[in-house]
Amino acid sequence: MRYLPNGKQMSEADAHTIHEIGIPSLVLMERAALQIVETMHKKNISTEKSLIVCGSGNNGGDGFAVARLLTEQGKHADVLFAGKEASLSEECRCQKQIVENMGISVFTEFPDEEYTVIIDAVFGVGLCREITGHYKDVIDWMNLQDAEKVAVDIPSGICAATGKILGTAFRADLTVCMACAKLGCELFPGKSYAGESIPVAIGIDPKYFSNRLDVCYTFDKNDLGKLLPSRMMNSHKGSYGKVLIIAGNETMSGAACFAAEAALRMGAGLVKVLSDVQNRSVLQTKLPEILFGERKDLKESLNWCDCILFGPGIGVSEETKEMLEMILEEGTKPLVIDADGLNTISRYDMEINYPYGLILTPHLMEASRLMSCDIMQMKEDLCQNAYELAKKYHCIAVLKDAATIVAQEGDLVYINQSGNDGMATGGSGDVLAGMITGLLGGGLAAHEAAVHGVYLHGLAGDH
C-alpha cells in the first residue's frame, strides 16, 4: 500500500517533519538531492552534461543542490535560474549561493548548449495557478530540448491534487518523488507528463498519512499476497459463495458470459445467470458449470444467492426497471450494479437506498448521467466527483477510467495504478464487474471486494 498525497497534504507532512520531528529543511533538501542523483544513475540517465532549471522555492533549492553534487562527481552541470531573486526561499537562497561560490554557471537566459539531461526544479507541489509569461516560455523551451527529462518531485505545471495541466507542463521521462508519488502524477493527464514516478526516502515518513482519511492510496505487486481471499483445504463449492448475475439481453450474450466467467475464475463456488432465454445455449455451451435461469426466476434467486450483479448487457426498459426495483426492495445481499443497471437508474431517476452493501461501477459517461452533469465536469476532479457519487447513492463508487477510483463516504479513496491501454476494449467492464462479485461471493466485504477487484483486474491486463 502506497499513499498518494496532494500538495497541501505533502506540505503538512514536510512541516511536521521539520517542526515536530526536528529534521532541518536543509537536511531534507540535501537528502532529496542525493536521491535524485542516485536515481538518475540507477536509471542509466546520462548526467555527463546536465542543465538544472531552478525556480525560487524549495524545489529550486533541491535543483541547486543537485547541480553541486553532480559537479562534485566530475560531471558538467549548468543551472538556468528561472525564478525571481526577490522570491527566493531561505533554503533556496542558501543553495544558490553555494553553487555560485563553486563557480558553477548560473544562467538567466536560455543557454546555447546541448545537454544529455534537463532537470526540472522550477515549481513544486504548491503550484495552483495557470503558468503564463516567462515561466511558460521556460517550460516550453525545456520540452523542446533534445535530452532526457527528469522532474524533481512533480513536473512543473501539474496540479498535485487533480493531475490537471496548469496552462503548460514539463514532460518528464522520470519523476523522482520525495517520500511519496503525488496524486497529480497518478491521475491523467498528469500521469502522462510524469513518465516513471519513483518515490524516494528523504526523512519524511509516509506513515504520517496513516490516520488521515483525506489521503488517497494505491496498491502495487508487493500487496498481491494480501489481496486474494484464503481458501481452506477441506472446503467445497458452498464455501465460496453463491453468485447471482442478471445480465445479457437477446443481442448481448457476451456480457453475461464475460461476467460469469470472471466470477468463476475469482473462485466463486456457484454462479447462476439470469438472462434472456435465447442465451441459454450460448452460456451453457461456453460455461457448462453455471446454473441458468430466466428473468422470471428473479425473486426465487434472490433468496438463493449470497451476492448479486445486475446490469451487464441487460438493456434499459420498463422490465429492467421493475427487476432493479425488486432487487432493491427484496434483496438482502451485497449488490453490484453495472452498465445498463446504471443507465436504468439515470434514465428513470431512481431513488437508491440499499443498506446491504452497494457497489456502483460507472465509466465517466455513465457517472455523468448519474450525477446529472457534463462529462468534462466529471474529469475536472475525479477523486472529489467519485466521492460525491458515493455520497449521493450511499454506495461504494468504482469510477472507471485509465486510473480507476474507488470511493466510499468515510473511507480512504483508492487510486488504481494497474492496467494498460490494451484493456480499452468491449467486455473489460463486464469482466471487472464479475471479478468484484466473485470476490463478494468469496466472503470479502464490499469495499475490499471493489478495491481488490479493480487492482487484480488491471494486473491481469498487465500480465
Side-chain angles (χ1 to χ4, degrees), residues 170-421:
F170 182 69
R171 287 191 174 274
D173 301 303
L174 170 69
T175 299
V176 184
C177 312
M178 305 312 138
C180 304
K182 306 308 175 291
L183 179 58
C185 290
E186 304 297 346
L187 295 172
F188 287 91
K191 188 175 176 67
S192 60
Y193 283 72
E196 183 181 6
S197 293
I198 299 182
V200 295
I202 65 167
I204 300 172
D205 189 350
K207 290 179 182 175
Y208 168 79
F209 301 113
S210 61
N211 294 319
R212 296 187 57 164
L213 291 178
D214 60 335
V215 179
C216 299
Y217 73 103
T218 192
F219 287 141
D220 56 33
K221 288 185 179 178
N222 293 329
D223 299 298
L224 186 57
K226 309 167 194 171
L227 300 184
L228 288 169
S230 59
R231 294 173 74 89
M232 301 170 292
M233 291 179 66
N234 63 337
S235 56
H236 52 82
K237 63 189 178 186
S239 305
Y240 303 112
K242 299 172 183 176
V243 173
L244 175 63
I245 296 175
I246 303 105
N249 61 20
E250 65 277 5
T251 64
M252 294 283 284
S253 61
C257 282
F258 288 139
E261 185 170 4
L264 287 164
R265 291 197 181 207
M266 290 310 293
L270 288 167
V271 175
K272 183 176 186 178
V273 179
L274 302 189
S275 191
D276 190 276
V277 66
Q278 295 182 50
N279 294 333
R280 179 189 291 273
S281 176
V282 172
L283 282 161
Q284 293 199 307
T285 298
K286 180 168 177 56
L287 301 170
E289 61 268 60
I290 68 164
L291 305 171
F292 183 88
E294 298 177 29
R295 295 180 179 183
K296 63 181 177 62
D297 302 324
L298 177 57
K299 188 166 186 176
E300 175 191 344
S301 299
L302 290 176
N303 294 324
W304 169 84
C305 70
D306 295 310
C307 58
I308 310 158
L309 167 60
F310 180 84
I314 202 168
V316 180
S317 64
E318 284 289 342
E319 181 192 13
T320 309
K321 174 176 174 282
E322 290 168 6
M323 293 175 73
L324 182 51
E325 285 174 339
M326 180 183 289
I327 293 169
L328 294 172
E329 289 169 8
E330 301 191 25
T332 57
K333 310 294 170 55
L335 168 64
V336 179
I337 304 179
D338 182 47
D340 284 334
L342 301 167
N343 294 329
T344 299
I345 294 171
S346 54
R347 171 79 65 84
Y348 295 101
D349 195 22
M350 295 177 65
E351 290 285 330
I352 305 295
N353 186 11
Y354 190 81
Y356 304 103
L358 176 63
I359 302 171
L360 303 186
T361 59
H363 55 58
L364 291 181
M365 180 60 77
E366 291 163 344
S368 68
R369 295 189 195 114
L370 290 167
M371 296 298 287
S372 302
C373 69
D374 184 85
I375 194 168
M376 295 309 296
Q377 290 175 269
M378 292 299 302
K379 289 182 176 180
E380 278 293 308
D381 191 337
L382 289 174
C383 290
Q384 185 60 36
N385 285 322
Y387 192 75
E388 293 300 324
L389 180 66
K391 283 176 63 178
K392 179 178 179 180
Y393 289 99
H394 311 289
C395 72
I396 296 152
V398 177
L399 184 57
K400 296 184 293 193
D401 196 31
T404 293
I405 295 165
V406 181
Q408 180 182 22
E409 193 171 3
D411 212 328
L412 293 173
V413 174
Y414 171 78
I415 313 292
N416 191 56
Q417 295 301 299
S418 63
N420 60 81
D421 54 22

Side-chain angles (χ1 to χ4, degrees), residues 38-59:
E38 184 178 339
T39 303
M40 287 193 295
H41 291 163
K42 285 180 179 176
K43 288 294 175 180
N44 296 316
I45 291 173
S46 174
T47 56
E48 288 304 313
K49 193 171 183 183
S50 306
L51 177 68
I52 303 92
V53 186
C54 298
S56 306
N58 283 0
N59 199 254

